[in-house]
């Protein structure tokens, strides 16, 4: 039974079979049974992650999913297809999906429902842009994004949700949010979830998490783990973050 905080790697559009093999082998060899780790890899490498991580406690998942179950949606991958061969989780509503591919709150909510209905864990990202923060709209934006999901999904899906607070300006920028800001937003999200009757949800922070700041960020109240982009591509960094996540 994992006791550590939940650390999820988002490989984004990176990797190849050879690089992945080395990274996955290092994670498998050096993680501890009580670590709670997962990697979200590009679709073509899901089977590689499945095979390489067999016999370990490291989960593996996707970075996106179709909101549709089946049909004429060329290029899409359904949640049932992911679940078919054991995929455990999928990120939905990453800010790059929202900003580059036009995913709105309603689409993200439908994707979260599709992931949970297939028996997997939806990792739902919320977060404000720099302009929104500067206009003082952070609370409004993240509560709107979470509210859209809570309004749409089933009671069972609510129990499965993982929420990742990822301020858009902190993603890939090398500049993580301050401990005060993370604390404030996580407390607000926790309150919103509890008001909706949802308890025990894991709240992850994401945005320039690395080995050197993971300890401080993971120590903040209501931070139950981290969603890690760039640093998850380096096995040493990711394992050091995993170490900081041990409680
Ligand atoms: C992400 O892509 O979800 C992310 C948090 O990226 P990074 O850790 O590189 O900021």
């Amino acid at each position: 039974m994992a006791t550590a905080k939940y650390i999820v790697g988002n490989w984004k559009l990176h990797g190849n079979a050879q690089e992945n093999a080395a990274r996955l082998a290092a994670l498998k060899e050096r993680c501890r049974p009580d670590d709670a780790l997962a990697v979200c890899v590009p679709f073509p490498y899901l089977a590689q992650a499945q095979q390489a991580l067999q016999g370990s406690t490291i989960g593996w998942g996707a970075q996106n999913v179709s909101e549709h179950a089946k049909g004429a949606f060329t290029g899409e991958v359904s949640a049932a297809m992911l679940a078919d061969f054991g995929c455990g989780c999928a990120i939905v509503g990453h800010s790059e999906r929202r900003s580059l591919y036009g995913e709105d709150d309603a689409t993200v909510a439908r994707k979260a429902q599709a992931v949970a209905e297939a028996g997997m864990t939806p990792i739902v990202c919320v977060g404000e842009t720099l302009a929104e923060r500067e206009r003082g709209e952070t609370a409004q934006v993240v509560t709107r994004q979470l509210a859209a999901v809570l309004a749409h999904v089933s009671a069972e899906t609510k129990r499965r949700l993982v929420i990742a607070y990822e301020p858009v300006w902190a993603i890939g920028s090398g500049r993580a949010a301050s401990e005060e800001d993370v604390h404030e937003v996580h407390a607000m999200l926790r309150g919103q979830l509890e008001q909706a009757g949802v308890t025990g949800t894991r709240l992850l922070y994401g945005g320039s998490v690395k080995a050197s700041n993971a300890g401080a960020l993971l120590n903040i109240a209501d931070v139950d783990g981290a969603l890690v982009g760039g640093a998850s591509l380096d096995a040493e960094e990711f394992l050091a973050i995993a170490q900081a996540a041990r409680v």
Side-chain angles (χ1 to χ4, degrees):
M1 175 72 185
T3 54
K5 297 198 173 192
Y6 189 36
I7 306 298
V8 181
N10 172 16
W11 288 8
K12 309 197 194 204
L13 187 56
H14 293 290
N16 57 51
Q18 201 182 344
E19 264 176 42
N20 301 346
R23 188 182 307 130
L24 292 165
L27 298 185
K28 181 174 174 178
E29 191 186 311
R30 293 177 41 205
C31 78
R32 289 207 200 151
D34 59 346
D35 286 338
L37 302 180
V39 287
C40 292
V41 306
F43 288 132
Y45 301 125
L46 284 164
Q48 184 185 22
Q50 178 196 35
Q51 279 187 354
L53 296 174
Q54 237 165 42
S56 86
T57 56
I58 304 173
W60 49 277
Q63 301 168 14
N64 183 32
V65 69
S66 175
E67 65 189 280
H68 302 289
K70 62 163 99 162
F73 301 103
T74 301
E76 290 289 273
V77 174
S78 76
M81 290 171 184
L82 295 175
D84 213 11
F85 61 106
C87 182
C89 60
I91 298 171
V92 297
H94 190 282
S95 67
E96 288 150 17
R97 301 294 317 171
R98 292 179 190 259
S99 67
L100 301 174
Y101 299 95
E103 292 188 10
D104 60 13
D105 292 343
T107 307
V108 173
R110 288 193 293 271
K111 289 186 174 198
Q113 179 63 21
V115 170
E117 261 173 24
M120 300 182 291
T121 301
I123 302 173
V124 178
C125 300
V126 299
E128 81 287 1
T129 64
L130 185 58
E132 288 163 340
R133 172 162 283 271
E134 286 174 349
R135 288 198 299 269
E137 294 171 3
T138 299
Q140 188 188 324
V141 170
V142 301
T143 55
R144 187 204 73 223
Q145 291 171 334
L146 178 57
V149 173
L150 294 176
H152 176 75
V153 303
S154 67
E156 172 57 25
T157 297
K158 285 179 189 157
R159 281 192 287 276
R160 286 179 181 268
L161 288 175
V162 170
I163 306 295
Y165 169 53
E166 296 210 309
V168 179
W169 47 272
I171 295 175
S173 67
R175 179 183 155 215
S178 71
E179 291 171 38
E180 296 70 32
D181 289 342
V182 174
H183 179 243
E184 192 181 322
V185 175
H186 278 236
M188 189 175 63
L189 293 170
R190 178 77 70 208
Q192 186 179 1
L193 285 159
E194 286 179 354
Q195 268 203 334
V198 191
T199 55
T201 308
R202 281 176 293 183
L203 294 180
L204 314 185
Y205 166 76
S208 296
V209 176
K210 45 196 173 209
S212 59
N213 62 14
L217 288 162
L218 290 167
N219 216 16
I220 300 168
D222 284 317
V223 174
D224 307 308
L227 182 52
V228 183
S232 72
L233 296 170
D234 180 330
E236 291 301 320
E237 277 281 310
F238 195 62
L239 285 160
I241 295 169
Q243 191 173 357
R246 290 173 192 148
V247 288

